[in-house]
Structures are given as C-alpha cells and as structure tokens.
Amino acid sequence: MQRAVCPGSFDPVHNGHIEIIVRAANLFEEVVVAVSNNPAKNYRFSLQERMDMITETVRHIQGIVVVPMETGLLADFAREQGAQALVKGVRNSTDLNYEMPMATFNRHLSSVETVFLPADSRYQHVSSTLVKEIVGHKGDISDFIPHAVEQRFGLR
C-alpha cells in the first residue's frame, strides 16, 4: 500500500490545506494527516479540536486518516506509519526554500521522499496565521475555511 504523511499544525485548517490533502489522496492509497502539537507554541485550537475540524471536513473522502503527531522527528513518525512519502504544499519560493533542507534530512534519516504539491492559485496567499488575524478583526474569511472551522470560530 502506498501511504503518505501530510503533516502540519493546522491551527486552523484552511481550504489550502484541504486542497493539498485531497490531491494527495488522489495520488496515494492512504494519506495520514499528522496534526502536530509543539508545546512551545500557543495554539488557538486544541489538538483534538484541530483533528476534529479536519476529520469533519474530509470524512467523505476515502483513504484519509487524521492522527496526532506528538513531539519527535517527522522522519521517525513517517517510518512508524509505514509511509513512503511526505506531502507538503508549497505556496511560493519562500515555502520551497524552507522545505528543501527538511526534505533532504528526512530522506537521509528515514529514506522517506517528500512530494511537493504547488498550491492552487486560489489559496497561495492563505495561511493559518492570516486567517486568525482576519477573524480577530471581524473580517470575512468564509471563502478560505471549511464549514467546520467557521463553526469553531462562531461565524455560523
């Protein structure tokens, strides 16, 4: 079985993330969405809330499982999951330059390959940080987040 890990903190998940996850599900038999929880970060949503929002959004798509990824190396997590690949969405050259050294290290540490999927142009400017900032200023982000996230923000 061809399995990939699609990692992220997803705080919150937005339509750009979902678009990458769905495209990965078209390439691999199973996609493990690994929701990270870095104790050094302050999250808007708990780990369980982030996992629930993703699960609610992708529940109709076969081959996607959502799991927590505790601290540790992504390369080790991918090996434990039996994954052949990591899937990363890239919005621009800055994202790619950030991801390339990690991809090389992950391949060195666990022989897992990284597959980069370019973001759809509709979402190249979307980030979880901007979503939270716009919501904080009462801006309309409904075009950029799944219904499950709108509900958690109290927008519906």
Side-chain angles (χ1 to χ4, degrees), residues 3 30-34 54-55 58 61-67 81:
R3 178 179 289 158
E30 185 172 58
V31 174
V32 177
V33 178
I54 298 167
T55 300
V58 300
I61 303 168
Q62 289 186 353
I64 299 175
V65 295
V66 181
V67 300
Q81 295 293 315

Side-chain angles (χ1 to χ4, degrees), residues 1-7 24-25 27-34 63 65 77-78 81-87 112-113 115:
M1 171 182 280
Q2 290 291 319
R3 178 179 289 158
V5 170
C6 190
L27 296 172
F28 296 92
E29 293 173 72
E30 185 172 58
V31 174
V32 177
V33 178
V65 295
F77 180 84
Q81 295 293 315
Q84 291 76 35
L86 301 171
V87 174
V112 67
E113 292 292 342
V115 175

